Amino acid sequence: MSKTNPGNYFEDFALGQKLPHATPRTVTEGDQALYTALYGSRFALQSSDEFARSLGLPRAPLDDLLAFHVVFGKTVPDVSLNAIANLGYANCVFGAPVYPGDTLSTESVVIGLKENSNGKTGVVYVNSTGVNQRGETVLDYVRWVMVRKRDEASPAPSASVPELPKAVAASDLLIPEGLDFAKFDTMLAGAPHRWGDYEVGEKVDHVDAMTIEEAEHQMATRLYQNTAKVHFNQHVEKEGRFGRRIVYGGHVISLARALTFNGLGNAVKIAAINGGAHTAPSFAGDTIYVWSEVLDKVELPGRSDLGALRLRSIATKDRACADFPDRGEDGRFDPAVVLDLDYTIFMPR
Amino acid sequence: MSKTNPGNYFEDFALGQKLPHATPRTVTEGDQALYTALYGSRFALQSSDEFARSLGLPRAPLDDLLAFHVVFGKTVPDVSLNAIANLGYANCVFGAPVYPGDTLSTESVVIGLKENSNGKTGVVYVNSTGVNQRGETVLDYVRWVMVRKRDEASPAPSASVPELPKAVAASDLLIPEGLDFAKFDTMLAGAPHRWGDYEVGEKVDHVDAMTIEEAEHQMATRLYQNTAKVHFNQHVEKEGRFGRRIVYGGHVISLARALTFNGLGNAVKIAAINGGAHTAPSFAGDTIYVWSEVLDKVELPGRSDLGALRLRSIATKDRACADFPDRGEDGRFDPAVVLDLDYTIFMPR
Amino acid sequence: MSKTNPGNYFEDFALGQKLPHATPRTVTEGDQALYTALYGSRFALQSSDEFARSLGLPRAPLDDLLAFHVVFGKTVPDVSLNAIANLGYANCVFGAPVYPGDTLSTESVVIGLKENSNGKTGVVYVNSTGVNQRGETVLDYVRWVMVRKRDEASPAPSASVPELPKAVAASDLLIPEGLDFAKFDTMLAGAPHRWGDYEVGEKVDHVDAMTIEEAEHQMATRLYQNTAKVHFNQHVEKEGRFGRRIVYGGHVISLARALTFNGLGNAVKIAAINGGAHTAPSFAGDTIYVWSEVLDKVELPGRSDLGALRLRSIATKDRACADFPDRGEDGRFDPAVVLDLDYTIFMPR
């Protein structure tokens, strides 16, 4: 019998099923250095131990999205090896900060199943939780994927689709213990604008851009131990639909986040990802630009030092964002758009 | 007089000669993070401090082959700067695990010399030993290379060819102190199959594949401080036999090892390399696939927690391995084969 | 109002103005591992904690140029975002060694201003100082850049050009506290030649060469959090003067320095950069070669263990340096030359 992992097919999932994922991972200063080299991130909280201490943390945590990618990567062999499409994310809450030396592992629970009318595929909803070595939750999120059936003749499960919030509620945002922005130094952080300086509906073109190289997205994706084949095998992909390896969507999210520094430099901590869509695939050679819109401003109970901004960041390829390319009147995205990410950050007041 | 290192020519080597190598190297979590980014390795013992502690080690050791490449790299300036071909490895035993913070250095002894009948080149056999800062041996191996003579007129030394074992004997394998697989968690390790589940003669196609990029193999080879010119200088290589830079053979070994995870996930520790041949050069753009064959199953005296498997892993380029490409009836390898590696791993029973 | 950083224009600078720069950065073993992977540096002092301790330091410091690039990168958003040309460096003195865990920040003072006769641009001289978390100076240097005016009609400031030394004086060189080369092991360092073995006027062809890849220079430049657009945006640069992204000049300096190991292996510590010019841009695909000339030998008062060499290293692209390409009789550089760096190193006597 084959010793290789065949992955799960749609009929292998059952409502309420627990999926403990393999490959615990100790994250280190080495991972953070690579993250910086891959994206050029400049948010001061993650860049400087001294800055982190001035805000009440013991040292600089890893970039939030580095933790996200490591937690996410573990789910791939069990959840999405036979996936046709990664349909969405929701209700993603960042919990305990992740520090060098922490060991992350991930477990998922199946919270929804719905066979598609074609009888060939179905949608699986999982709630994945990343924890550190002390059992503290560092990340909790839902994603749903379209997965192939092994056997089209197998019966459909009763459909069950979870209700998911459009955005993480303010009361569900977790402020790391000890984090206090009272002494936040905007000069050191590199941007003068505080929470109060942003308006709902305001749009920011982040101006900067970065071109993706094959070696970069491959190194990133392997760093996260995400081994989905489409990112790595040019011998197969050259015969595929695009003729090229597809860049891991999370790589584009991280590039976009790093580029938002120019305009959102004090958005040092991601609190939540409310939803996201990879509206088109990205490839090596694409140059990624970003613009953002402020969707909401959230006051946090009892906190005068920090507030939350709900943002939407739209990334494009090979197209500057001075005119904020978005959905057209027909509801379809400008063809240059590759990412529409709805998320919430903490910023000093 | 020139200040640059001319390297040793065949007549510079003498039987019994000691070659202490330069450039001691402190290896760190940063090196391990790069190793993960370069190969996507997922073996749990090296990935997680917590997993390593559950098996009796103080923390996660570096990947075995990272240690191998660092130890090997130091020998290049003295042994193979004027080499025409890297002919083989044998009797390579992994000793003390290497941890972040260890400082590695290497010494070689010339154990064999044989001039070729053309009078222009000769074969040099060296026994190289890598030690840590406490003087503990981390690696001990033999390799032989074909080296140019400086002066074809210089007399041939009396030929001396060492006797080398076909495989490291079970009694010569070193189990790291404290390592105990009694509590080995195969769910966390990501694969259900234990030592007892493999049969001698069994073949596994590892399915996954990775395409090599120039930036990747250059960064890897520099990380190991291996500065053999053919890997780095396109200005010269474009006029050479292949028109391209040649990928360091060790880079292909590491790619192959990482790809074997899918089918050999519990093979968390390399115990020995019995022999190996780079049967064809690899270049950027090649997509590497792997299959493995179980050559032998070795019970280890007094150990019910772990056993050894002697494996042969065959890597190809731009060719899937479902049909196990190998030597043909004429004794020649399938032209897609680039690596034939014979090695021994420890696996939980 | 735009939230993005417009950078400073010529009329925004005033003599004596202090520019505290953003983004403090904790440097780590991860950064050093990346530096090794990017350049293959083999200088023993930075490679081995044990070697560093044998010379009186607590552990291996980071590569001097890694510290340089991190300190330099912070000045870009305030000094050179609207620069047309990076005109020169001078009087760059390396101070306290930088260790993993140190947090670096940078401040600059405007020490010279001179509008160009075209009325469209001016030259700004800044003295930049990099300090660690204890306030110790790790680097102090002057650079001057040509910056655009925002408004050509704005009046010219009174011209003020600082007097800069041709080379850092021997009495201004800083020997790190505790550093003692009495027990310097040249075998471990990988080169037999000590300070006394070099002659003023001596030229060394470093023989080795390395080809630059896009992913490599982008990762390096982001590691330094230097986000100058020309290095990253192929979508814009393909329409530009060169049709390609331009490699950060510091990347070429680091490549050149690493290549000088073969011929200057005991030059383990950079003491000063006296001056430097990027005589032509470099691009991915260029193969960098280097040769060096000994400009001066400096005895250091009270030190019999070490001496200083003032060197000039000339890097070329796609041209070997056996014949030492340099300025021609017309005073113009050989067209293959990309870098002319004048610096001072410490070497064991």
Side-chain angles (χ1 to χ4, degrees):
Chain A
M1 215 204 80
S2 172
K3 294 268 192 319
T4 52
N5 176 21
N8 288 312
Y9 289 86
F10 183 66
E11 54 267 68
D12 297 325
F13 294 98
L15 208 63
Q17 181 184 3
K18 280 190 185 176
L19 300 163
H21 302 299
T23 319
R25 170 84 148 80
T26 302
V27 290
T28 69
E29 294 175 346
D31 299 304
Q32 180 60 35
L34 266 157
Y35 194 86
T36 303
L38 288 163
Y39 307 110
S41 187
R42 287 183 286 161
F43 294 101
L45 179 61
Q46 289 80 21
S47 179
S48 165
D49 284 347
E50 301 294 323
F51 192 88
R53 283 194 268 269
S54 78
L55 303 186
L57 297 188
R59 63 182 297 190
L62 298 189
D63 262 79
D64 299 303
L65 293 174
L66 171 51
F68 176 89
H69 298 318
V70 168
V71 167
F72 179 95
K74 302 193 181 326
T75 69
V76 170
D78 301 310
V79 173
S80 49
L81 213 62
N82 300 307
I84 296 160
N86 197 15
L87 298 173
Y89 309 98
N91 211 20
C92 175
V93 180
F94 288 79
V98 177
Y99 296 103
D102 282 357
T103 299
L104 303 183
S105 51
T106 310
E107 186 173 271
S108 298
V109 179
V110 179
I111 60 165
L113 287 173
K114 185 171 186 306
E115 186 165 305
N116 287 324
S117 55
N118 63 13
K120 296 180 181 174
T121 58
V123 179
V124 180
Y125 295 77
V126 294
N127 175 202
S128 301
T129 310
V131 299
N132 65 20
Q133 71 282 6
R134 287 180 301 276
E136 299 162 348
T137 297
V138 301
L139 193 71
D140 190 301
Y141 70 100
V142 172
R143 79 162 163 143
W144 53 107
V145 292
M146 192 190 302
V147 179
R148 251 179 265 277
K149 290 177 75 175
R150 183 185 287 108
D151 174 7
E152 295 183 20
S154 58
S158 60
S160 170
V161 174
E163 232 171 285
L164 295 167
K166 281 219 129 187
V168 175
S171 56
D172 289 340
L173 299 176
L174 300 172
I175 303 173
E177 207 184 309
L179 191 71
D180 181 349
F181 281 5
K183 296 182 186 157
F184 195 102
D185 184 331
T186 57
M187 190 287 296
L188 287 178
H193 312 97
R194 291 170 178 268
W195 182 82
D197 297 321
Y198 291 85
E199 304 288 337
V200 173
E202 180 174 353
K203 293 178 177 180
V204 180
D205 169 21
H206 299 296
V207 181
D208 298 332
M210 288 204 183
T211 304
I212 300 171
E213 297 295 322
E214 297 282 11
E216 293 169 2
H217 77 83
Q218 290 198 146
M219 288 182 72
T221 310
R222 284 187 296 236
L223 187 70
Y224 315 139
Q225 295 175 315
N226 175 338
T227 57
K229 299 178 211 298
V230 292
H231 310 312
F232 299 111
N233 185 336
Q234 181 59 19
H235 179 241
V236 160
E237 294 306 320
K238 76 175 193 295
E239 310 297 337
R241 182 150 69 110
F242 303 109
R244 288 175 288 172
R245 282 159 279 178
I246 299 169
V247 172
Y248 163 50
H251 188 67
V252 177
I253 294 178
S254 281
L255 273 174
R257 162 73 175 157
L259 290 166
T260 65
F261 179 85
N262 196 358
L264 286 164
N266 291 324
V268 294
K269 180 83 188 81
I270 300 181
I273 296 176
N274 303 305
H278 300 289
T279 55
S282 296
F283 306 101
D286 289 352
T287 300
I288 302 296
Y289 291 83
V290 193
W291 67 275
S292 298
E293 179 179 4
V294 179
L295 295 181
D296 199 7
K297 291 181 68 170
V298 184
E299 296 203 49
L300 297 166
R303 302 296 298 232
S304 58
D305 60 321
L306 58 80
L309 289 185
R310 185 178 164 200
L311 300 167
R312 194 177 153 234
S313 287
I314 311 290
T316 59
K317 57 180 179 188
D318 296 340
R319 183 194 194 295
C321 290
D323 62 345
F324 311 115
D326 200 346
R327 287 181 195 275
E329 290 185 8
D330 59 356
R332 300 177 68 165
F333 274 107
D334 182 294
V337 172
V338 294
L339 174 72
D340 182 1
L341 191 72
D342 180 335
Y343 61 112
T344 300
I345 57 83
F346 292 135
M347 198 178 255
R349 296 184 69 160
Chain B
M1 216 205 78
S2 170
K3 295 270 193 315
T4 51
N5 175 22
N8 288 313
Y9 289 85
F10 183 67
E11 53 268 68
D12 297 324
F13 294 97
L15 209 63
Q17 182 184 1
K18 279 190 185 176
L19 300 164
H21 302 298
T23 318
R25 170 84 147 82
T26 303
V27 290
T28 69
E29 293 175 346
D31 298 304
Q32 179 61 34
L34 267 158
Y35 194 87
T36 304
L38 288 162
Y39 307 110
S41 187
R42 288 183 285 161
F43 294 101
L45 178 61
Q46 290 79 22
S47 179
S48 165
D49 283 347
E50 300 295 322
F51 192 89
R53 282 194 269 269
S54 78
L55 302 187
L57 298 188
R59 63 182 295 190
L62 299 189
D63 261 79
D64 299 304
L65 293 173
L66 171 51
F68 177 88
H69 298 317
V70 168
V71 167
F72 180 96
K74 304 196 178 323
T75 69
V76 170
D78 302 310
V79 173
S80 49
L81 213 61
N82 300 305
I84 297 162
N86 197 15
L87 298 172
Y89 310 98
N91 212 19
C92 175
V93 181
F94 288 80
V98 177
Y99 295 103
D102 282 356
T103 300
L104 303 183
S105 52
T106 311
E107 185 172 273
S108 298
V109 179
V110 179
I111 60 166
L113 287 172
K114 186 172 185 306
E115 186 165 305
N116 286 324
S117 54
N118 62 14
K120 296 179 180 175
T121 58
V123 179
V124 180
Y125 295 77
V126 294
N127 175 202
S128 301
T129 311
V131 298
N132 66 20
Q133 71 281 7
R134 289 180 299 276
E136 298 162 348
T137 298
V138 301
L139 193 70
D140 190 300
Y141 70 99
V142 172
R143 81 164 163 141
W144 53 108
V145 291
M146 192 189 301
V147 178
R148 253 179 264 276
K149 290 178 74 174
R150 181 185 287 106
D151 174 6
E152 295 183 18
S154 60
S158 62
S160 170
V161 174
E163 231 172 284
L164 294 168
K166 283 219 126 188
V168 175
S171 56
D172 289 339
L173 299 176
L174 299 172
I175 302 173
E177 208 185 311
L179 190 72
D180 181 349
F181 282 6
K183 296 181 186 159
F184 196 101
D185 184 331
T186 57
M187 189 286 297
L188 287 178
H193 313 95
R194 293 170 177 269
W195 184 83
D197 297 319
Y198 292 87
E199 304 288 335
V200 173
E202 181 175 354
K203 293 178 178 180
V204 180
D205 169 20
H206 298 296
V207 180
D208 299 333
M210 288 202 183
T211 304
I212 300 170
E213 297 296 322
E214 297 281 11
E216 293 169 3
H217 78 83
Q218 290 199 146
M219 289 183 71
T221 310
R222 285 187 296 237
L223 186 70
Y224 314 139
Q225 295 175 316
N226 175 339
T227 56
K229 299 178 211 296
V230 293
H231 310 313
F232 299 111
N233 185 335
Q234 181 59 20
H235 180 241
V236 160
E237 294 306 321
K238 76 176 193 294
E239 310 297 336
R241 182 150 68 111
F242 303 109
R244 290 175 287 174
R245 283 160 279 178
I246 299 169
V247 172
Y248 163 51
H251 189 66
V252 178
I253 294 178
S254 281
L255 273 175
R257 163 72 175 157
L259 290 167
T260 64
F261 179 86
N262 195 357
L264 286 163
N266 290 323
V268 294
K269 180 84 188 78
I270 300 181
I273 296 176
N274 303 304
H278 300 289
T279 55
S282 296
F283 306 100
D286 288 353
T287 300
I288 303 297
Y289 291 82
V290 193
W291 66 274
S292 297
E293 179 179 4
V294 180
L295 295 181
D296 199 6
K297 291 182 67 169
V298 184
E299 297 202 49
L300 297 166
R303 302 294 299 233
S304 58
D305 60 320
L306 60 79
L309 288 185
R310 185 178 165 200
L311 300 167
R312 195 178 152 232
S313 287
I314 311 290
T316 59
K317 59 180 177 186
D318 297 340
R319 183 194 193 295
C321 289
D323 61 345
F324 311 115
D326 200 347
R327 288 182 194 275
E329 289 184 7
D330 59 358
R332 301 177 68 167
F333 274 107
D334 181 294
V337 172
V338 294
L339 173 72
D340 182 0
L341 190 73
D342 179 336
Y343 60 113
T344 301
I345 56 84
F346 292 137
M347 198 177 254
R349 297 184 66 163
Chain C
M1 213 203 81
S2 171
K3 296 269 190 319
T4 52
N5 176 22
N8 288 311
Y9 289 86
F10 182 65
E11 52 267 68
D12 297 325
F13 295 98
L15 209 63
Q17 181 185 4
K18 280 189 184 176
L19 300 163
H21 302 299
T23 318
R25 171 83 147 82
T26 303
V27 291
T28 69
E29 294 176 344
D31 298 305
Q32 180 60 34
L34 267 158
Y35 194 87
T36 304
L38 288 163
Y39 307 110
S41 187
R42 286 183 287 161
F43 293 101
L45 178 61
Q46 289 79 20
S47 179
S48 165
D49 284 346
E50 301 294 323
F51 192 88
R53 282 194 268 269
S54 77
L55 302 186
L57 298 188
R59 62 181 296 189
L62 298 190
D63 261 80
D64 299 303
L65 293 174
L66 171 52
F68 177 88
H69 298 317
V70 168
V71 167
F72 179 95
K74 303 193 180 324
T75 68
V76 170
D78 302 311
V79 173
S80 48
L81 213 62
N82 300 306
I84 297 160
N86 196 15
L87 298 172
Y89 310 97
N91 212 20
C92 174
V93 180
F94 288 80
V98 177
Y99 296 103
D102 282 357
T103 299
L104 304 183
S105 52
T106 311
E107 186 173 271
S108 297
V109 179
V110 178
I111 61 166
L113 287 171
K114 187 173 185 303
E115 185 164 307
N116 287 325
S117 54
N118 61 14
K120 297 181 182 173
T121 58
V123 179
V124 180
Y125 296 77
V126 294
N127 176 202
S128 301
T129 310
V131 299
N132 65 22
Q133 71 281 10
R134 288 180 300 277
E136 298 163 348
T137 298
V138 301
L139 194 71
D140 190 299
Y141 70 100
V142 173
R143 78 163 164 142
W144 53 108
V145 291
M146 192 190 302
V147 179
R148 254 179 263 277
K149 290 178 73 174
R150 181 184 289 108
D151 173 8
E152 294 184 19
S154 59
S158 63
S160 170
V161 173
E163 231 172 285
L164 295 167
K166 284 220 126 186
V168 175
S171 56
D172 289 338
L173 299 175
L174 299 171
I175 303 173
E177 207 185 311
L179 191 72
D180 181 349
F181 282 6
K183 296 182 185 157
F184 194 103
D185 184 331
T186 57
M187 189 286 297
L188 287 178
H193 312 97
R194 290 170 178 269
W195 183 83
D197 297 320
Y198 292 86
E199 303 289 337
V200 173
E202 181 175 354
K203 293 178 178 179
V204 180
D205 169 23
H206 299 295
V207 180
D208 299 333
M210 286 203 185
T211 304
I212 300 171
E213 297 295 322
E214 298 281 11
E216 293 169 3
H217 78 84
Q218 291 198 146
M219 289 183 71
T221 310
R222 284 186 297 235
L223 187 69
Y224 314 139
Q225 295 176 316
N226 175 338
T227 56
K229 299 178 211 297
V230 294
H231 310 314
F232 299 111
N233 186 335
Q234 180 59 17
H235 180 241
V236 160
E237 294 305 321
K238 76 176 194 292
E239 310 297 337
R241 182 149 70 112
F242 303 110
R244 287 175 288 173
R245 282 160 279 179
I246 299 168
V247 172
Y248 163 51
H251 188 66
V252 177
I253 294 178
S254 280
L255 272 175
R257 162 74 174 156
L259 290 166
T260 64
F261 179 86
N262 195 358
L264 286 163
N266 290 324
V268 293
K269 181 84 188 79
I270 300 181
I273 296 175
N274 303 304
H278 299 289
T279 55
S282 295
F283 305 100
D286 289 353
T287 300
I288 302 297
Y289 291 82
V290 193
W291 66 274
S292 298
E293 179 178 5
V294 179
L295 295 181
D296 200 7
K297 291 181 69 171
V298 185
E299 296 203 49
L300 297 165
R303 303 295 299 232
S304 59
D305 59 321
L306 59 80
L309 289 184
R310 184 178 165 201
L311 300 167
R312 195 178 153 233
S313 287
I314 312 289
T316 59
K317 59 180 178 188
D318 297 339
R319 184 195 192 294
C321 289
D323 62 345
F324 311 115
D326 200 345
R327 287 181 196 275
E329 289 184 7
D330 58 358
R332 302 178 65 166
F333 274 107
D334 181 296
V337 171
V338 294
L339 173 72
D340 182 2
L341 191 73
D342 180 335
Y343 61 112
T344 301
I345 57 84
F346 292 135
M347 200 179 253
R349 296 185 67 159

